[in-house]
Amino acid sequence: MTAEGLEKLKKELSEALAQRPVISAAIAEAREKGDLSENAEYDAAREAQGLLEVRIAKLKNLVANAKVIDESLIGTEKVQIMNRVKVENLSLKRVMEFTIVGETEADFSKGKLASTTPIAKALLGHKAGETVEAKVPSGIMKFKILEISL
């Protein structure tokens, strides 16, 4: 992942950790309202706490296991993660451009394609000028790699 992507994860983790006291206060407030067996507020707050803890655990794991890629070591001879790739979708007769990133940074609306997607997997390791096939849910699509850049 990029250094920017790691910082985004760290910020998200920090925000999630900041929610712990808010949820604890909501649980305490709901507990004060009496019989817990029929207290929907208490149940909702406990469920929110559980979901938050799962999210925190996931984020901590992602941050702990993150591998930041040194962008200065990325080449443009063959498609690899962190490359900006311009392709012609031969199936749709359309030129597309996207950056191949780690799964946690993917955002198709911003042109960031996860390296685990069928299209990215098909492109990885290939050179400009080559044509590749990607098996996507709607069938097989062909792409011609037009340009690889950083």
Side-chain angles (χ1 to χ4, degrees):
M1 84 172 31
T2 62
E4 176 187 336
L6 179 58
E7 286 307 310
K8 184 179 173 187
L9 278 179
K10 286 180 178 179
K11 181 180 179 202
E12 193 176 334
L13 175 59
S14 177
E15 289 170 358
L17 289 169
Q19 288 299 308
R20 275 181 169 162
V22 174
I23 290 179
S24 291
I27 290 171
E29 184 179 320
R31 190 178 287 142
E32 290 173 4
K33 293 185 178 176
D35 184 9
L36 298 181
S37 64
E38 296 180 16
N39 190 330
E41 283 182 54
Y42 178 77
D43 291 340
R46 292 287 295 169
E47 184 176 338
Q49 181 184 41
L51 293 173
L52 179 66
E53 291 305 322
V54 167
R55 185 168 162 239
I56 287 171
K58 181 181 175 187
L59 289 168
K60 280 184 175 181
N61 186 45
L62 287 171
V63 169
N65 294 309
K67 290 185 172 98
V68 177
I69 295 174
D70 182 353
E71 293 183 48
S72 68
L73 301 177
I74 303 296
T76 57
E77 201 169 292
K78 291 182 178 182
V79 177
Q80 55 187 313
I81 197 163
M82 306 304 293
N83 280 146
R84 182 130 191 94
V85 184
K86 187 178 203 177
V87 297
E88 180 181 0
N89 182 327
L90 300 174
S91 306
L92 300 175
K93 309 243 185 287
R94 230 173 83 200
V95 172
M96 306 165 80
E97 200 169 328
F98 38 76
T99 303
I100 298 177
V101 297
E103 200 168 332
T104 59
E105 295 180 80
D107 185 347
F108 195 73
S109 67
K110 293 181 180 174
K112 293 183 177 187
L113 186 65
S115 61
T116 56
T117 62
I119 295 171
K121 283 181 180 179
L123 294 171
L124 289 170
H126 291 277
K127 297 179 179 182
E130 291 184 355
T131 299
V132 298
E133 289 185 353
K135 186 176 180 182
V136 296
S138 61
I140 299 209
M141 297 185 108
K142 288 186 178 187
F143 297 90
K144 181 173 183 179
I145 303 170
L146 302 176
E147 187 180 311
I148 305 167
S149 59
L150 293 175

